[in-house]
Amino acid sequence: MTTWSAPGIPARGRCLVMGVVNVTPDSFSDGGLCFDPKAAVRHGLELVEQGADIVDVGGESTRPGAARVSLEEELARVAPVIEELSRRGVTVSVDTMRAEVAQAAVEAGARLVNDVSGGLADPAMPRVVAASGVPYVVMHWRGHSHTMDSRAVYGDVVAEVCEELAKRVASVLAEGVAEEQIVLDPGLGFSKNAEHNWALLAGLERLAGLGYPLIIGASRKRFLGRLLADPGGTPRPFRDSDDATLAVTALAAAAGAWCVRVHDVRPNADAVRVAAAVQRARS
Ligand code: PMM
C-alpha cells in the first residue's frame, strides 16, 4: 500500500514504525527512562527487536512549557547514543531543531533528521540537511514550547497546516534540500488542541495531497488522555493511552502514512502489518 520511500531508509511495503528514545530527564511521555546513554542504547535495541524500523533519538524535550537545553548539553546527550546504535546497524533518526546537532548526528551515523520546527528554529538547518542528503522531516510548528499553546488558533486547521507546510517546503527546497528528502508531519499537539489534532487525523488525505510522505506522532499525547478521561473529566495518564495510540496507528497506516512515531513499538508494529494486509487484500 505504502508507495512512499525516502533515501537510505529501507522500504518495507507498509507503513514504517519509528520508536522513540528520549535522552532527556523530563520528556513529555517517557521522561527520565533513557537519560543514561547506556540505558538509551539498550532501549533503542529493544525497540528494534520489537519491530521498530527507525529509532528516533532526541535530547531536548518538546513537551508544552519545556525550557530549551544548551547546544552542548543536547550534543552530549544524543551523540554517543546515535553513534552506538548506528554502529550496531540500527537506522537512527535525530530529533533536533539545531543544525549543529543534526550535522554531528549525521556524522555519527544518523540516517534521517527529524526537525519538529521544520527549519524555523534554526535557519542553518535546511543547508545542513541539503548537504547531508538524508531524509528530512519537516513538521508543522508555530513556535517553541513555552508559546505553542497560545498559537493554537485556526479557522480551518487542515487548510492552514497544509498552507504553512507548503511554505516550509518551498523554503527548504530553495535552500537546496531535494524533493525526495522531504517527509511532512502535521505536528499533532504542537500549537494544536485536541479538536485540531482530530481534524488533522481526519484530513490525512488532504495532507498527503501535498505530495510527500507523511509521518504521524500521536503516541501518548494529551489529546488521547483527554478523549479517555474518566467520568469526572480527569484525563487518562499518558502511559495508559497506548491502546488509543494503536488505534491512531491503524487509521494512519490505512490512510497511507509513511511512518508512525511511537513509544510502545510492538503492538504498533503489529497494527501496521494488519493495515498492510488489508490493503494488499483489497488491491
Ligand atoms: N512529537 C514529539 C517529539 N518529536 N517528532 C515528530 N516528527 N512528530 C511528532 O509528533 C513529535 C516529534 C513529542 O513527543 P515525545 O515527548 O513523546 O517524544
Side-chain angles (χ1 to χ4, degrees):
M1 128 178 93
T2 313
T3 51
W4 300 111
S5 65
I9 309 288
R12 307 277 187 214
R14 56 165 169 75
C15 177
L16 299 181
V17 177
M18 174 186 277
V20 179
V21 172
N22 283 319
V23 194
T24 58
D26 60 347
S27 188
F28 179 65
S29 52
D30 55 1
L33 179 75
C34 297
F35 194 41
D36 166 58
K38 282 206 178 89
V41 169
R42 216 170 26 243
H43 188 55
L45 294 172
E46 275 164 18
L47 296 182
V48 171
E49 233 164 68
Q50 291 167 14
D53 303 295
I54 304 169
V55 171
D56 190 39
V57 178
E60 180 170 43
S61 170
T62 49
R63 83 191 142 86
R68 296 215 66 186
V69 297
S70 69
L71 166 66
E72 294 70 26
E73 174 68 21
E74 190 185 347
L75 267 176
R77 289 179 184 182
V78 299
V81 178
I82 292 172
E83 191 164 349
E84 183 59 14
L85 285 173
S86 302
R87 197 183 66 77
R88 290 171 180 247
V90 176
T91 301
V92 177
S93 72
V94 61
D95 186 344
T96 186
M97 293 184 266
R98 288 189 169 111
E100 277 154 294
V101 176
Q103 174 79 49
V106 170
E107 282 164 15
R111 303 226 291 258
L112 183 147
V113 173
N114 175 24
D115 177 1
V116 299
S117 83
L120 284 169
D122 184 343
M125 181 68 101
R127 283 193 299 281
V128 162
V129 171
S132 76
V134 302
Y136 181 39
V137 175
V138 175
M139 199 189 81
H140 178 264
W141 186 85
R142 284 184 167 181
H144 285 288
S145 294
H146 59 287
T147 62
M148 70 181 175
D149 282 349
S150 64
R151 296 177 200 249
V153 182
Y154 302 87
D156 177 339
V157 65
V158 180
E160 286 169 52
V161 166
C162 284
E163 203 175 293
E164 289 168 35
L165 279 176
K167 280 197 190 133
R168 293 310 310 144
V169 167
S171 165
V172 306
L173 288 173
E175 296 276 3
V177 174
E179 295 265 6
E180 62 270 18
Q181 283 178 269
I182 296 175
V183 174
L184 298 181
D185 184 330
L188 300 178
F190 288 81
S191 297
K192 282 127 201 140
N193 63 27
E195 194 191 322
H196 300 140
N197 294 331
W198 293 119
L200 287 163
L201 285 170
L204 286 188
E205 276 160 29
R206 278 163 74 195
L207 286 152
L210 291 169
Y212 297 94
L214 288 182
I215 180 165
I216 303 298
S219 186
R220 296 185 181 169
K221 290 200 172 155
R222 287 179 300 176
F223 75 112
L224 300 178
R226 292 213 174 124
L227 178 76
L228 306 172
D230 69 18
T234 305
R236 188 83 75 77
F238 302 135
R239 280 174 187 283
D240 292 337
S241 63
D242 281 340
D243 293 344
T245 298
L246 204 54
V248 175
T249 289
L251 292 165
W258 172 72
C259 185
V260 286
R261 180 182 181 278
V262 296
H263 299 85
D264 186 16
V265 164
R266 191 187 305 279
N268 285 283
D270 290 352
V272 298
R273 283 173 175 80
V274 169
V278 172
Q279 189 61 29
R280 275 196 303 275
R282 195 176 276 149
S283 55

